[in-house]
């Protein structure tokens, strides 16, 4: 496919798509047949600023994917295809696509690319089912804080035990001195 010459305007589009494939953390392919322009605009807004939703010709997108070194997507380039290039949180973008597809069944998630490997539509849904990055980081921080508290208590225990023993010895000595004086 890469050996066939293409027009300059199409070559520019391929270069832009290739760059998007290379720089995106993930790319999700969807079929948008039957969606209105206002629905597509709503989808673009719901995906956020770090995600771009681009309608592209299948032949150009296929060539761009090949130029970017991505394989396994050729069978997905059928029918009207739009590419969702995710630069930010992949989980949030997958959730946005999943939720929009639930509300608008005409949007069909075909599959995509995550960390340079082709993934199926089911795997995109699994990504959408994950908790967001912020939630996972908060859970990790909570777990680490709990472990640090346990470690601090563990390291502090011998010191407090020694202090209690010293206090008990001092009390015992005072009692003995009080008993001898009486």
């Amino acid at each position: 496919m890469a050996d066939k010459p293409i027009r300059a305007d199409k070559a520019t589009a391929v270069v832009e798509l290739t760059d998007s494939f290379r720089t995106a953390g993930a790319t999700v392919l969807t079929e948008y047949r039957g969606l209105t322009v206002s629905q597509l605009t709503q989808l673009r807004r719901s995906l956020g600023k770090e995600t771009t939703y681009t309608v592209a010709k299948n032949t150009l997108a296929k060539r761009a994917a090949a130029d970017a070194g991505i394989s396994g997507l050729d069978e997905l380039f059928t029918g009207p295809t739009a590419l969702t290039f995710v630069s930010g949180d992949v989980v949030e973008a997958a959730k946005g696509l999943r939720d929009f597809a639930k509300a608008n069944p005409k949007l069909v998630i075909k599959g995509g690319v995550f960390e340079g490997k082709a993934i199926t539509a089911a795997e995109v849904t699994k990504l959408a089912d994950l908790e967001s990055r912020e939630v996972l980081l908060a859970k990790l921080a909570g777990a680490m804080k709990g472990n640090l508290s346990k470690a601090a208590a563990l390291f502090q225990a011998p010191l407090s035990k020694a202090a209690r023993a010293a206090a008990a010895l001092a009390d015992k000595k005072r009692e003995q001195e009080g008993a001898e004086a009486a």
Side-chain angles (χ1 to χ4, degrees):
M1 176 151 250
D3 56 346
K4 198 174 182 184
I6 57 174
R7 294 191 333 229
D9 58 334
K10 291 184 179 182
T12 303
V14 169
V15 168
E16 289 174 4
L17 288 171
T18 302
D19 185 49
S20 294
F21 270 113
R22 286 184 179 146
T23 59
T27 304
V28 179
L29 282 72
T30 60
E31 183 175 318
Y32 61 92
R33 186 186 325 239
L35 292 174
T36 64
V37 172
S38 64
Q39 287 173 321
L40 289 175
T41 302
Q42 179 187 359
L43 172 61
R44 283 184 175 103
R45 285 187 185 137
S46 71
L47 292 174
K49 295 181 190 239
E50 295 180 330
T51 302
T52 57
Y53 189 79
T54 306
V55 174
K57 289 187 167 277
N58 287 331
T59 54
L60 300 180
K62 195 183 291 189
R63 184 182 294 246
D67 289 351
I70 298 168
S71 60
L73 298 180
D74 289 350
E75 66 277 356
L76 301 179
F77 291 113
T78 57
T81 303
L83 305 164
T84 309
F85 295 108
V86 184
S87 298
D89 190 358
V90 177
V91 173
E92 287 301 316
K95 283 181 185 193
L97 285 169
R98 179 199 60 197
D99 295 345
F100 189 86
K102 283 182 182 177
N104 301 282
K106 291 182 180 179
L107 181 76
V108 178
I109 298 172
K110 296 179 175 184
V113 178
F114 181 62
E115 296 180 348
K117 294 186 173 93
I119 59 173
T120 65
E123 291 170 320
V124 173
T125 304
K126 285 182 184 177
L127 277 174
D129 292 338
L130 291 175
E131 292 175 332
S132 71
R133 183 175 189 269
E134 288 78 21
V135 171
L136 292 174
L137 286 174
K139 285 184 175 182
L140 177 64
M144 290 176 68
K145 181 181 176 192
N147 286 338
L148 288 174
S149 296
K150 288 178 188 174
L154 182 67
F155 291 131
Q156 195 175 9
L159 294 175
S160 62
K161 192 174 184 181
R164 284 192 303 269
L169 283 173
D171 289 343
K172 188 174 183 181
K173 188 173 183 183
R174 271 185 258 137
E175 285 177 16
Q176 287 176 350
E177 287 175 0
E180 289 175 7

